[in-house]
Amino acid sequence: MTDRATVDTLKREFQEALFGALGRFPAGATRNDLYISLSLVARWRVMTRWVATSETYYERASRTVCYLSAEFLLGPHLGNNLLNLGLQEEARQAMAELGHDLDAILDQEEEPGLGNGGLGRLAACYMDSLATLEIPSLGYGIRYEFGIFDQLIHDGWQVEKTDKWLALGNPWEIPRPEIAMNVGFGGHTEAGTDEQGRYQVRWVPERVVRGIAYDTPICGYRNGTANLLRLWKAEAVDSFDFTAFNQGDYWGAVDQKVDSENITKVLYPNDELVKGRQLRLEQQHFFVSCSLQDMIRIFMQKGGADLRHMHEKYAVQLNDTHPALGVAELMRLLVDVHGMGWEDAWEVTRNTFAYTNHTLLPEALEKWPVEMFGACLPRHLEIVYEINRRFLDEVRGRYPGDGRRAARLSLIDETGGRSVRMAHLASVGSRRINGVAALHTELLKTSVLRDFHELWPEKFVNVTNGVTPRRFLALANPRLASLITEAIGDAWPKDLEELRRLEPLAGDAAFGERWRKVKRDNKADLAAIVEARAGVVCDPDSLFDVQVKRIHEYKRQHLNVLHVIALWQRFRREPGVAAPPRTVLFGGKAAPGYRMAKLMIKLVHSVAEVVNADPDTRDRLRVAFIPDYNVKNCMPIFPAADLSEQISTAGKEASGTGNMKFAMNGALTIGTLDGANVEIREAVGPENFFLFGLTVQEIERLSADGYRPRDLYETDPALRDVLDALADGTFSLGDTSLFRPMVDSLLGDDPWMLLADFRSYVDCQTEVGRAYLDRDHWTRLSILNTARIGRFSSDRSIADYCRDIWRVERVPIEVEEPSAGLSPRSTQRAPRPERIPS
Ligand code: 26Q
């Protein structure tokens, strides 16, 4: 049911925006004009909430969460904001009456791809939940001009294309040129004494860059809250260096401007090795410094504020070590700039920060060569040394004579070239340290942060990741959302545990029928997309077996491909075998410098080409790679999946979040005991989860005992056939060199233990096929997966953070419905009060 008055208002406002903001007449409007106009209409309402929200926070001086993240992978705004504002149906109707298709308008939005994958998307889900739970909060990050690259596929290979997300304008951001921070780089320090004779250090940077705030409002689901995401763009302090200009060095002057602006030009891809690139360090310092200066500015605004109480006003979360420089920068701001004593400043700092770790892979832990660190941030290096000196004194006091332990704990890694260990800086400077899934947190305590756990066990907590059910269920899967709402009411988007009320319906034949129809329709939609984008025709009645995520050896997309090859060979060998037809879908980007990951993409395409063309099997097996996997493109994928592939080597995936998005949409999981899979399996019930593979302990034991993958090749004929086909050119037009690096790696030391899990995986997939053949049984399991996934809402994660780490409370916002419209005429209408759910 749409509200007539709202539809009429939206129509009028939309036309006003088209004329008044864009200067377009309807017949001359491009699709982008339509998109911008509708966005302005929605933005008007978001702004009203934002004003009410910031006013309330200011008056109450509420304790505020600052979420510092180098990445926010938000996805398109318009559809999400219409959903949260409760205007979806009215907007659809209004557009239809004006002769436009809402979906086409939504499709026009270029997503802000300001993140690589899981970590960046998590930050976006958390912003959504913070607003929905009415928590005073600010997100701080970087406004990259070029986000994650667009992925093209040429001849089966990934080709990267620059992401130009700002090319057609961004109606969601508000530039705040008056909120500008100066950030220094390089130079030297000078020690001296101040007027009171106290020791003081002055940093004389070689270069100063200005950060300008760009604000994006993030609104809660059907409430009065709109919080702020503040992203910093780098600019030259003066657009001209006039000395250079006056001396006739025009190019020198412009060079400096270009240099400054380079800092926020481009998002770094997460390479398999976290390389020490100076620009990356500059990015981190830049956004952290702007953000902390901004927090201090806001804190002081209230007047007479004593910075020794700063930690009472702010809880600052470090999303991985990317913002860990904040520990040193806050010390510098408090001690050098605001004249606080070291002990007081350290007390504030230690009580301000908390640190989330997202990885156990040693090669992914950030370290900066001391040389580079000191050249770029000379004062920060001194501060790191001083923090370290005091910290190691404490360590030696606790463990007299244990020099090895002190060396392991030190902020400076002295093995090889000296480097600053960012995870150690974050751990020492934080009040709490958390992992992102129960298993991950336990492994943190016994592996990479073991010594810190022994020192400060009370600092460690677990907060299992979650995902927002607004975007990933309500918005992505409207068919399922309606069916669920019809069955259990509409409280679930805000209280996902409500889904449990679907459980009794799992055995209901009529409900099962409707559930299956929703999945079938979603699969038909995805099939159309796959055909258009990958040129592969697939049957919506086949089992949709899906793996979408960044391409990485530890995520083992190639294990999935080995199974595809095994299945193909089996279908050829035993045409009578009882197994359902399958469509195996892949999607994901490879870091541009990660050769094996790129070869994995090529492998999927090569196998697809052969398998899809085989007349003997093409009705039973199809393979496709969906190009350019991102937030926008994932929306039709989760709702259409029957089977979710979560097959990382146990102990390597910190949590995973795609696993939650799939299960929420009624997919069953095939997975290892890794990351959050462990908890998902417990939640949905072991009988509703396809488990395979070695456990963390078994993996460790096997590596310790001497793992010999070649023995497995020699003893398992199916495995041998698969690897032989890879090596002998079956999938590469006879070229035996193409996949050689992969085969060699697998038969060499197989670092991710694919071969060790191959047999178990293939057998488990056989079981999946058998289960799928019993339609009613499968449907029951699918319903139960959705019904029991409530725990994995990011609302639960945020509630955990609020309680265990941040100690913040909700502050509901009273908002009057906007005096609708963009022009003075319409703002004269009487405002309509809106009810705030308690
Ligand atoms: C670091 C330094 C230099 C250049 C790039 C990077 C960099 C950038 C991004 C390193 C890592 C990342 C991203 C990591 C990430 O996405 N981790 C994932 O986080 C998810 C949310 O917690 C987890 O679910 C995944 O298990 C974890 O892999």
Side-chain angles (χ1 to χ4, degrees):
M1 262 297 286
T2 55
D3 176 58
R4 188 65 247 169
T6 306
V7 173
D8 288 338
T9 310
L10 292 179
K11 281 166 72 178
R12 202 193 55 246
E13 289 176 15
F14 176 78
Q15 279 168 316
E16 285 172 356
L18 198 56
F19 301 148
L22 302 184
R24 291 290 196 180
F25 62 95
T30 63
R31 185 178 297 164
N32 194 58
D33 294 331
L34 304 179
Y35 156 69
I36 301 269
S37 301
L38 187 58
S39 299
L40 292 176
V41 172
R43 193 179 90 169
W44 188 269
R45 289 168 165 74
V46 176
M47 290 300 186
T48 314
R49 284 163 172 75
W50 181 4
V51 171
T53 304
S54 43
E55 209 174 4
T56 309
Y57 292 169
Y58 180 79
E59 279 163 11
R60 302 257 203 106
S62 320
R63 182 169 163 78
T64 301
V65 175
C66 298
Y67 199 84
L68 262 60
S69 178
E71 308 192 356
F72 286 91
L73 196 43
L74 296 168
H77 292 282
L78 179 55
N80 200 245
N81 281 332
L82 291 175
L83 169 74
N84 284 7
L85 293 165
L87 288 175
Q88 270 184 314
E89 287 319 306
E90 281 77 8
R92 182 174 301 281
Q93 180 70 22
M95 291 304 100
E97 289 178 19
L98 293 171
H100 307 305
D101 172 21
L102 178 64
D103 292 325
I105 293 177
L106 294 177
D107 193 45
Q108 177 65 28
E109 184 168 351
E110 197 53 72
E111 80 171 67
L114 309 185
N116 273 286
L119 168 149
R121 182 54 231 177
L122 187 76
C125 283
Y126 284 178
M127 291 304 293
D128 179 278
S129 286
L130 283 163
T132 296
L133 294 181
E134 306 175 315
I135 306 298
S137 48
L138 266 159
Y140 279 115
I142 301 174
R143 182 181 176 277
Y144 301 104
E145 188 175 335
F146 305 114
I148 184 76
F149 61 86
D150 294 336
Q151 180 190 56
L152 304 176
I153 302 294
H154 287 171
D155 185 30
W157 294 97
Q158 167 176 296
V159 174
E160 300 88 21
K161 192 176 137 247
T162 316
D163 158 61
K164 302 225 171 90
W165 70 290
L166 290 166
L168 295 177
N170 172 11
W172 300 104
E173 67 179 8
I174 321 291
R176 300 277 186 208
E178 76 286 7
I179 301 181
M181 306 294 159
N182 288 335
V183 180
F185 294 92
H188 65 277
T189 63
E190 293 168 0
T193 46
D194 66 8
E195 307 87 71
Q196 284 101 47
R198 287 177 309 194
Y199 176 77
Q200 210 175 21
V201 178
R202 203 165 73 91
W203 173 25
V204 186
E206 179 200 314
R207 180 162 76 103
V208 175
V209 175
R210 176 167 300 158
I212 306 291
Y214 281 72
D215 290 347
T216 301
I218 306 287
C219 66
Y221 182 77
R222 315 270 159 108
N223 64 18
T225 300
N227 289 329
L228 207 63
L229 172 60
R230 177 160 287 169
L231 303 178
W232 300 99
K233 174 181 192 287
E235 289 189 355
V237 169
D238 294 302
S239 47
F240 277 106
D241 175 338
F242 283 99
T243 28
F245 190 53
N246 289 336
Q247 288 163 2
D249 184 10
Y250 181 80
W251 297 115
V254 174
D255 261 4
Q256 213 203 339
K257 177 170 155 63
V258 170
D259 258 12
S260 304
E261 295 183 351
N262 260 344
I263 291 183
T264 54
K265 270 283 176 248
V266 59
L267 166 78
Y268 272 91
N270 57 338
D271 228 309
E272 80 276 33
L273 290 178
V274 175
K275 296 196 207 95
R277 292 286 300 270
Q278 173 149 344
L279 186 59
R280 170 82 184 179
L281 182 65
E282 291 175 357
Q283 288 185 336
Q284 297 185 347
H285 171 59
F286 168 78
F287 99 90
V288 164
S289 177
C290 289
S291 308
L292 288 169
Q293 291 185 57
D294 195 43
M295 284 174 227
I296 292 175
R297 176 187 66 85
I298 296 169
F299 183 76
M300 308 277 258
Q301 227 173 34
K302 267 279 181 179
D306 179 347
L307 280 170
R308 281 174 302 186
H309 297 285
M310 185 170 163
H311 57 285
E312 293 161 20
K313 161 82 182 175
Y314 293 117
V316 179
Q317 194 65 32
L318 303 173
N319 197 24
D320 214 299
T321 54
H322 314 156
L325 279 172
V327 173
E329 172 68 355
L330 183 57
M331 285 302 288
R332 188 190 69 84
L333 290 168
L334 295 177
V335 174
D336 294 358
V337 180
H338 294 277
M340 198 183 286
W342 183 278
E343 282 78 13
D344 283 347
W346 185 241
E347 186 67 16
V348 170
T349 299
R350 264 193 326 123
N351 284 300
T352 297
F353 291 105
Y355 157 52
T356 306
N357 172 288
H358 296 263
T359 185
L360 297 165
L361 304 182
E363 68 271 27
L365 290 174
E366 276 194 300
K367 278 195 235 160
W368 294 105
V370 163
E371 295 267 286
M372 186 199 288
F373 195 106
C376 178
L377 302 166
R379 178 57 183 146
H380 296 75
L381 185 59
E382 292 174 1
I383 291 172
V384 167
Y385 283 154
E386 181 61 15
I387 294 173
N388 200 35
R389 190 183 64 77
R390 291 169 182 247
F391 169 55
L392 292 181
D393 276 350
E394 186 187 330
V395 170
R396 290 191 200 97
R398 274 280 296 275
Y399 306 97
D402 194 348
R404 300 250 292 274
R405 183 186 296 263
R408 289 199 308 270
L409 280 163
S410 174
L411 305 193
I412 308 297
D413 185 350
E414 313 264 357
T415 58
R418 301 173 74 231
S419 52
V420 182
R421 295 165 162 156
M422 300 308 277
H424 292 214
L425 179 61
S427 298
V428 171
S430 291
R431 210 175 59 83
R432 291 284 181 271
I433 301 167
N434 76 285
V436 290
L439 174 68
H440 169 62
T441 301
E442 287 314 304
L443 293 173
L444 263 187
K445 294 182 192 169
T446 55
S447 63
V448 288
L449 297 180
R450 176 184 183 145
D451 293 310
F452 285 97
H453 180 248
E454 283 174 16
L455 192 59
W456 298 312
E458 69 287 352
K459 274 198 190 188
F460 286 74
V461 287
N462 173 248
V463 182
T464 299
N465 284 168
V467 303
T468 170
R470 270 77 62 184
R471 178 176 288 278
F472 291 107
L473 183 51
L475 190 63
N477 198 345
R479 293 187 182 101
L480 196 63
S482 315
L483 179 59
I484 292 172
T485 297
E486 204 185 300
I488 64 168
D490 63 0
W492 60 269
K494 270 197 156 175
D495 177 9
L496 206 64
E497 289 288 357
E498 280 280 303
L499 290 179
R500 205 167 280 282
R501 295 172 51 209
L502 292 169
E503 262 189 44
L505 293 165
D508 180 320
F511 186 76
E513 192 66 49
R514 297 183 64 193
W515 189 271
R516 203 155 42 234
K517 162 103 168 55
V518 165
K519 186 62 87 180
R520 173 68 171 68
D521 290 348
N522 291 340
K523 287 163 76 173
D525 285 354
L526 182 60
I529 293 169
V530 171
E531 182 171 359
R533 310 225 9 246
V536 175
V537 178
C538 46
D539 172 9
D541 289 316
S542 63
L543 189 171
F544 276 27
D545 174 346
V546 189
Q547 186 171 22
V548 285
K549 50 180 79 229
R550 286 300 288 255
I551 310 292
H552 204 294
E553 288 165 279
Y554 85 76
K555 296 176 186 283
R556 302 198 295 191
Q557 281 91 355
H558 44 348
L559 176 59
N560 189 344
V561 177
L562 297 191
H563 167 250
V564 169
I565 297 172
L567 194 60
W568 176 61
Q569 291 175 334
R570 178 130 197 248
F571 283 149
R572 287 171 58 91
R573 213 171 36 236
E574 305 169 48
V577 67
R582 258 194 216 236
T583 301
V584 187
L585 299 172
F586 294 85
K589 294 176 185 176
Y594 189 175
R595 295 181 58 182
M596 188 62 85
K598 291 182 135 176
L599 188 59
M600 288 159 73
I601 293 176
K602 175 64 177 171
L603 173 68
V604 173
H605 285 95
S606 301
V607 170
E609 201 154 307
V610 170
V611 165
N612 295 345
D614 184 340
D616 296 337
T617 62
R618 56 195 317 253
D619 294 335
R620 311 187 71 176
L621 184 60
R622 289 289 161 111
V623 182
F625 187 93
I626 306 171
D628 202 30
Y629 179 65
N630 59 20
V631 178
K632 185 172 174 178
N633 293 331
C634 82
M635 301 293 278
I637 297 178
F638 295 113
D642 293 307
L643 186 66
S644 152
E645 298 272 352
Q646 307 300 334
I647 61 178
S648 51
T649 315
K652 303 301 177 194
E653 188 70 273
S655 162
T657 42
N659 43 8
M660 303 166 188
K661 296 163 196 168
F662 277 112
M664 210 170 263
N665 284 281
L668 274 61
T669 306
I670 181 165
T672 48
L673 282 179
D674 198 16
N677 295 353
V678 177
E679 291 156 84
I680 292 175
R681 177 168 173 266
E682 275 163 24
V684 304
E687 66 286 5
N688 304 317
F689 185 106
F690 296 96
L691 178 70
F692 77 96
L694 300 175
T695 63
V696 174
Q697 290 74 24
E698 288 165 343
I699 296 257
E700 277 169 5
R701 207 169 314 131
L702 185 54
S703 332
D705 293 353
Y707 169 50
R708 291 155 56 100
R710 194 169 276 280
D711 292 353
L712 295 161
Y713 168 83
E714 267 145 24
T715 49
D716 185 337
L719 175 59
R720 198 167 50 234
D721 287 348
V722 168
L723 289 179
D724 287 351
L726 260 192
D728 71 12
T730 301
F731 304 106
S732 41
L733 304 169
D735 177 352
T736 55
S737 64
L738 183 60
F739 298 117
R740 191 35 64 196
M742 193 180 288
V743 176
D744 285 349
S745 166
L746 295 177
L747 290 175
D749 58 350
D750 187 15
W752 310 104
M753 305 226 162
L754 268 78
L755 303 203
D757 278 344
F758 175 81
R759 179 45 41 208
S760 161
Y761 180 56
V762 168
D763 290 344
C764 191
Q765 286 284 21
T766 306
E767 221 183 290
V768 168
R770 207 172 297 133
Y772 190 78
L773 287 174
D774 183 347
R775 277 189 348 163
D776 293 333
H777 171 64
W778 187 275
T779 304
R780 214 180 85 78
L781 301 195
S782 166
I783 296 171
L784 287 178
N785 262 266
T786 302
R788 297 174 178 173
I789 208 70
R791 237 200 108 227
F792 300 94
S793 164
S794 44
D795 297 348
R796 190 271 312 145
S797 310
I798 287 299
D800 288 357
Y801 277 103
C802 289
R803 192 189 56 238
D804 300 337
I805 299 181
W806 300 329
R807 299 174 299 176
V808 292
E809 314 261 292
R810 60 204 297 169
V811 176
I813 307 300
E814 288 286 339
V815 72
E816 303 214 315
E817 190 47 45
S819 42
L822 302 159
S823 69
R825 179 174 55 76
S826 52
T827 55
Q828 285 159 7
R829 291 172 353 114
R832 257 189 296 125
E834 175 181 307
R835 282 283 112 237
I836 311 293
S838 56

